[in-house]
Amino acid sequence: GAVVSQHPSRVICKSGTSVKIECRSLDFQATTMFWYRQFPKQSLMLMATSNEGSKATYEQGVEKDKFLINHASLTLSTLTVTSAHPEDSSFYICSVRQGNTEAFFGQGTRLTVV
Amino acid sequence: DQQVKQNSPSLSVQEGRISILNCDYTNSMFDYFLWYKKYPAEGPTFLISISSIKDKNEDGRFTVFLNKSAKHLSLHIVPSQPGDSAVYFCAARLRQGAQKLVFGQGTRLTINP
């Protein structure tokens, strides 16, 4: 299956600063990547669908100006959390889909905003 | 609106016995179902899937059953092993649009030696 690398795995930032999370598809060209967020003991919630060369599609309730997504190449998508607040602290995970079936996930990024 | 539900937040099973994880869904537009295993601070790992046109899929110790009329699927693990201890998520794929996955809340499975 596809290998997905996410970086960093853990980040702590001060409130008001911005944080960039990278998601790389190492062995597969992904025109579409997905960004999820998981709060403790809750499900994975889809935030947005990242489309190579075009604008991301955001799920209802997700602020596109706060969570900036860039998918500039077929192997890299980035999620930037702008003006981070403590309530943005969460586990962020990206995924790629190979074909029409299962998705392959990155290892996730634990964001803590202090 | 939780379209995919895993009503059991946790499950404990003796090693060697069968583990049965359940999942219910409400949207008839789901055409594909998947199970993922997740360890803490890691991304989910794909386990097994089933198309809506089938009612059973088996892969080694893992079998997924789909009951479309009841909108219910289950994952059977037999025999259960200590390494199976993890959080299990079921997910469903929407037939249309970006075919995004909708996840259940997860069930924490603990296999006791």
Side-chain angles (χ1 to χ4, degrees):
Chain A
V3 177
V4 182
S5 176
Q6 195 171 330
H7 177 81
S9 58
R10 183 184 296 265
V11 59
I12 300 173
C13 71
K14 289 185 177 181
S15 187
T17 61
S18 296
V19 174
K20 180 185 284 188
I21 302 169
E22 293 186 348
C23 179
R24 292 182 184 276
S25 176
L26 300 182
D27 60 352
F28 169 66
Q29 292 188 324
T31 56
T32 303
M33 293 186 181
F34 302 88
W35 285 97
Y36 291 83
R37 178 169 57 186
Q38 184 189 23
F39 291 107
K41 298 184 179 180
Q42 294 188 24
S43 182
L44 282 76
M45 300 300 296
L46 180 65
M47 299 175 64
T49 302
S50 172
N51 304 299
E52 188 268 335
S54 65
K55 291 182 179 180
T57 304
Y58 289 82
E59 294 299 303
Q60 190 173 12
V62 178
E63 300 177 58
K64 61 180 181 181
D65 294 330
K66 180 169 184 61
F67 298 99
L68 300 179
I69 291 174
N70 184 281
H71 194 154
S73 77
L74 289 171
T75 59
L76 174 64
S77 175
T78 61
L79 168 67
T80 301
V81 183
T82 63
S83 187
H85 289 282
E87 56 264 33
D88 297 326
S89 298
S90 186
F91 192 59
Y92 293 86
I93 314 173
C94 67
S95 78
V96 303
R97 183 167 302 144
Q98 196 168 24
N100 285 326
T101 56
E102 66 268 20
F104 298 91
F105 288 83
Q107 57 270 62
T109 298
R110 169 73 61 194
L111 171 64
T112 303
V113 184
V114 297
Chain B
D1 177 27
Q2 190 72 28
Q3 298 184 68
V4 179
K5 296 181 182 179
Q6 292 175 258
N7 292 317
S8 298
S10 63
L11 175 68
S12 288
V13 174
Q14 204 73 22
E15 182 179 358
R17 308 292 282 266
I18 184 170
S19 295
I20 300 176
L21 298 127
N22 295 302
C23 181
D24 297 293
Y25 63 96
T26 57
N27 194 334
S28 59
M29 297 301 289
F30 291 139
D31 69 340
Y32 203 80
F33 303 90
L34 309 94
W35 283 95
Y36 287 85
K37 177 180 180 180
K38 185 181 182 298
Y39 294 113
E42 292 185 13
T45 302
F46 170 75
L47 270 179
I48 191 169
S49 61
I50 188 168
S51 167
S52 60
I53 63 173
K54 295 187 175 181
D55 55 16
K56 177 182 176 181
N57 187 27
E58 189 173 353
D59 183 3
R61 296 188 298 114
F62 302 93
T63 303
V64 56
F65 296 91
L66 175 63
N67 182 333
K68 284 182 65 178
S69 61
K71 291 190 174 66
H72 176 84
L73 67 154
S74 60
L75 174 67
H76 293 211
I77 306 173
V78 57
S80 300
Q81 299 173 355
D84 296 329
S85 296
V87 177
Y88 289 79
F89 289 95
C90 69
R93 187 186 73 181
L94 281 168
R95 185 178 301 144
Q96 297 173 338
Q99 298 185 330
K100 64 184 182 182
L101 296 180
V102 180
F103 284 83
Q105 308 95 309
T107 297
R108 179 175 300 280
L109 175 65
T110 302
I111 305 302
N112 302 308

Coordinates of all heavy atoms in Angstrom, one line a residue, chain B residues 75-108:
Chain B
L75 N -17.0 -6.8 12.7 CA -15.6 -7.4 12.5 C -15.4 -8.5 13.5 O -15.5 -8.2 14.7 CB -14.6 -6.3 12.6 CG -13.1 -6.7 12.6 CD1 -12.7 -7.2 11.2 CD2 -12.2 -5.6 13.0
H76 N -15.0 -9.6 13.0 CA -14.7 -10.8 13.8 C -13.2 -11.0 13.8 O -12.6 -11.1 12.7 CB -15.5 -12.0 13.4 CG -16.9 -11.9 13.6 ND1 -17.7 -13.0 13.9 CD2 -17.8 -10.9 13.6 CE1 -19.0 -12.7 14.0 NE2 -19.0 -11.3 13.8
I77 N -12.6 -11.2 14.9 CA -11.2 -11.5 15.0 C -11.1 -12.8 15.8 O -11.5 -12.9 17.0 CB -10.4 -10.4 15.7 CG1 -10.6 -9.0 15.1 CG2 -8.9 -10.7 15.7 CD1 -10.0 -7.9 15.9
V78 N -10.5 -13.8 15.1 CA -10.4 -15.1 15.8 C -9.2 -15.9 15.3 O -9.0 -16.0 14.1 CB -11.7 -15.9 15.7 CG1 -12.1 -16.2 14.2 CG2 -11.6 -17.3 16.4
P79 N -8.3 -16.4 16.1 CA -8.3 -16.2 17.6 C -7.7 -14.8 17.9 O -6.8 -14.3 17.2 CB -7.4 -17.3 18.1 CG -6.4 -17.5 17.0 CD -7.2 -17.3 15.7
S80 N -8.2 -14.2 19.0 CA -7.7 -12.9 19.4 C -6.3 -13.0 20.0 O -6.0 -14.0 20.7 CB -8.6 -12.2 20.4 OG -9.9 -12.1 19.8
Q81 N -5.5 -12.1 19.7 CA -4.1 -12.1 20.2 C -3.8 -10.8 20.9 O -4.4 -9.7 20.6 CB -3.1 -12.2 19.0 CG -3.3 -13.5 18.2 CD -2.4 -13.6 17.0 OE1 -1.7 -12.6 16.7 NE2 -2.4 -14.7 16.3
P82 N -2.9 -10.8 21.9 CA -2.6 -9.5 22.6 C -2.2 -8.3 21.7 O -2.6 -7.2 22.0 CB -1.4 -9.9 23.5 CG -1.5 -11.4 23.7 CD -2.1 -11.9 22.4
G83 N -1.6 -8.6 20.6 CA -1.2 -7.5 19.6 C -2.4 -6.9 19.0 O -2.3 -5.9 18.3
D84 N -3.6 -7.5 19.1 CA -4.8 -7.0 18.6 C -5.4 -5.8 19.4 O -6.3 -5.1 19.0 CB -5.9 -8.0 18.4 CG -5.5 -9.1 17.5 OD1 -4.8 -8.8 16.5 OD2 -5.9 -10.3 17.7
S85 N -4.8 -5.7 20.6 CA -5.3 -4.6 21.5 C -5.0 -3.2 20.8 O -3.9 -2.9 20.5 CB -4.6 -4.7 22.8 OG -4.9 -5.8 23.5
A86 N -6.1 -2.5 20.6 CA -6.0 -1.2 19.9 C -7.4 -0.6 19.8 O -8.3 -1.2 20.3 CB -5.4 -1.4 18.4
V87 N -7.5 0.5 19.2 CA -8.8 1.1 18.9 C -9.2 0.8 17.5 O -8.3 0.9 16.6 CB -8.8 2.6 19.1 CG1 -10.2 3.2 18.7 CG2 -8.4 3.0 20.6
Y88 N -10.4 0.3 17.3 CA -10.8 -0.1 16.0 C -11.9 0.9 15.5 O -12.9 1.1 16.2 CB -11.4 -1.5 16.0 CG -10.3 -2.6 16.1 CD1 -9.7 -2.8 17.4 CD2 -9.8 -3.3 15.0 CE1 -8.7 -3.7 17.5 CE2 -8.7 -4.2 15.2 CZ -8.2 -4.4 16.4 OH -7.2 -5.3 16.6
F89 N -11.7 1.4 14.3 CA -12.7 2.3 13.7 C -13.3 1.6 12.5 O -12.6 1.0 11.6 CB -12.0 3.6 13.2 CG -11.5 4.5 14.3 CD1 -10.2 4.4 14.8 CD2 -12.4 5.4 14.9 CE1 -9.8 5.3 15.8 CE2 -12.0 6.2 15.9 CZ -10.7 6.2 16.3
C90 N -14.6 1.7 12.4 CA -15.3 1.4 11.1 C -15.4 2.6 10.4 O -15.6 3.7 10.9 CB -16.6 0.6 11.3 SG -17.9 1.6 12.0
A91 N -15.4 2.5 9.0 CA -15.6 3.7 8.2 C -16.5 3.3 7.0 O -16.5 2.1 6.6 CB -14.2 4.2 7.7
A92 N -17.2 4.3 6.5 CA -18.0 4.0 5.3 C -17.8 5.1 4.3 O -17.5 6.2 4.6 CB -19.5 4.1 5.8
R93 N -17.8 4.6 3.0 CA -17.5 5.5 1.9 C -18.8 5.9 1.2 O -19.7 5.1 0.9 CB -16.6 4.8 0.9 CG -16.1 5.8 -0.2 CD -15.3 5.0 -1.2 NE -16.1 4.1 -2.0 CZ -15.7 3.3 -3.0 NH1 -14.4 3.3 -3.2 NH2 -16.5 2.6 -3.7
L94 N -18.9 7.2 1.0 CA -20.1 7.7 0.2 C -19.9 7.4 -1.2 O -18.8 7.6 -1.8 CB -20.3 9.2 0.5 CG -20.9 9.6 1.8 CD1 -20.8 11.1 2.0 CD2 -22.4 9.2 1.8
R95 N -21.0 7.0 -1.9 CA -20.9 6.6 -3.3 C -20.6 7.8 -4.2 O -19.9 7.7 -5.2 CB -22.2 6.0 -3.7 CG -22.3 5.4 -5.1 CD -23.6 4.8 -5.3 NE -23.9 3.7 -4.3 CZ -25.1 3.5 -3.8 NH1 -26.1 4.2 -4.1 NH2 -25.3 2.5 -3.0
Q96 N -21.0 9.0 -3.8 CA -20.9 10.1 -4.7 C -19.9 11.1 -4.3 O -19.3 11.0 -3.2 CB -22.3 10.8 -4.7 CG -23.4 10.0 -5.3 CD -24.8 10.6 -5.2 OE1 -25.0 11.5 -4.4 NE2 -25.7 10.2 -6.0
G97 N -19.6 12.1 -5.1 CA -18.7 13.1 -4.8 C -17.3 12.7 -4.6 O -16.8 11.8 -5.4
A98 N -16.6 13.2 -3.6 CA -15.2 12.9 -3.4 C -15.0 11.5 -2.8 O -13.9 11.1 -2.5 CB -14.6 13.9 -2.5
Q99 N -16.1 10.8 -2.6 CA -16.0 9.4 -2.0 C -15.3 9.5 -0.6 O -14.5 8.7 -0.3 CB -15.3 8.5 -2.9 CG -16.1 8.3 -4.2 CD -15.5 7.2 -5.1 OE1 -14.3 7.0 -5.1 NE2 -16.3 6.6 -5.9
K100 N -15.6 10.5 0.2 CA -15.0 10.6 1.4 C -15.4 9.5 2.4 O -16.4 8.9 2.2 CB -15.3 12.0 2.0 CG -16.8 12.2 2.4 CD -17.0 13.6 2.9 CE -18.4 13.9 3.2 NZ -18.7 15.3 3.7
L101 N -14.6 9.3 3.4 CA -14.8 8.3 4.4 C -15.5 9.0 5.6 O -15.0 10.0 6.1 CB -13.6 7.6 4.8 CG -12.9 6.7 3.7 CD1 -11.6 6.1 4.3 CD2 -13.8 5.7 3.2
V102 N -16.5 8.3 6.2 CA -17.1 8.7 7.4 C -16.8 7.7 8.5 O -17.0 6.5 8.3 CB -18.6 8.9 7.3 CG1 -19.2 9.4 8.6 CG2 -18.9 9.9 6.1
F103 N -16.2 8.1 9.6 CA -15.7 7.2 10.6 C -16.7 7.1 11.8 O -17.4 8.1 12.1 CB -14.4 7.6 11.1 CG -13.2 7.4 10.2 CD1 -13.0 8.2 9.2 CD2 -12.5 6.2 10.4 CE1 -11.9 8.0 8.3 CE2 -11.4 6.0 9.5 CZ -11.1 6.8 8.5
G104 N -16.7 5.9 12.4 CA -17.4 5.7 13.7 C -16.5 6.3 14.8 O -15.4 6.7 14.5
Q105 N -17.0 6.2 16.0 CA -16.3 6.8 17.1 C -15.1 5.9 17.6 O -14.3 6.3 18.4 CB -17.3 7.0 18.3 CG -18.5 7.7 18.0 CD -19.7 6.8 17.7 OE1 -19.5 5.9 16.9 NE2 -20.8 7.0 18.3
G106 N -15.1 4.7 17.2 CA -14.1 3.8 17.6 C -14.4 2.9 18.8 O -15.3 3.3 19.6
T107 N -13.9 1.7 18.8 CA -14.0 0.8 20.0 C -12.6 0.4 20.4 O -11.8 -0.1 19.6 CB -14.8 -0.5 19.6 OG1 -16.2 -0.1 19.2 CG2 -14.9 -1.5 20.8
R108 N -12.4 0.5 21.7 CA -11.1 0.1 22.2 C -11.1 -1.3 22.6 O -11.9 -1.7 23.5 CB -10.7 1.0 23.4 CG -9.3 0.6 24.1 CD -8.9 1.5 25.2 NE -8.8 2.9 24.7 CZ -7.8 3.4 24.1 NH1 -6.7 2.6 23.9 NH2 -7.7 4.6 23.7

